[in-house]
Amino acid sequence: TEWTCHRLALVALMLAFRFWDDPGEEYHNNEWFAKLGGIRPTEMAELEIGFLRLLDWRLFVTPDEFEFYVERLRSAAAGVRSEGEVPAHAE
């Protein structure tokens, strides 16, 4: 739908926020993120589960993986096609 990108960004930001959030800091639940994104809390939960399954529940990336994708994004932004294999991730 026209809001697919919006939902993808919302769930990605929510998971990144939770992954890097310190336990002592304020915690925001699915309802808070759903309100922020203008969707139902049940849809937020479904997006979260679906996104985590697509990532095979793996939120951590190695520095090599991070650099690989940063370079791909930079190339795409500059209109240059980049090549290369995805670095293996740490198990």
Side-chain angles (χ1 to χ4, degrees):
T1 70
E2 62 190 57
W3 291 103
T4 300
C5 185
H6 165 83
R7 285 173 169 79
L8 177 63
L10 178 64
V11 72
L13 288 171
M14 179 187 76
L15 290 171
F17 183 88
R18 288 184 178 171
F19 184 77
W20 289 107
D21 193 22
D22 288 330
E25 293 182 16
E26 184 176 348
Y27 174 77
H28 299 294
N29 59 21
N30 281 13
E31 189 172 320
W32 187 88
F33 280 101
K35 185 175 182 179
L36 178 71
I39 62 174
R40 294 173 287 111
T42 53
E43 184 179 2
M44 189 75 246
E46 292 168 4
L47 289 170
E48 179 181 23
I49 295 296
F51 196 80
L52 286 167
R53 284 182 178 149
L54 287 172
L55 294 176
D56 198 25
W57 300 84
R58 191 177 79 74
L59 297 177
F60 178 80
V61 295
T62 66
D64 287 341
E65 283 179 291
F66 181 80
E67 280 301 318
F68 175 81
Y69 287 107
V70 165
E71 189 53 42
R72 297 281 306 254
L73 286 170
R74 285 184 182 144
S75 295
V80 177
R81 183 184 167 125
S82 62
E83 300 292 330
E85 291 187 30
V86 178
H89 63 270
E91 293 293 327

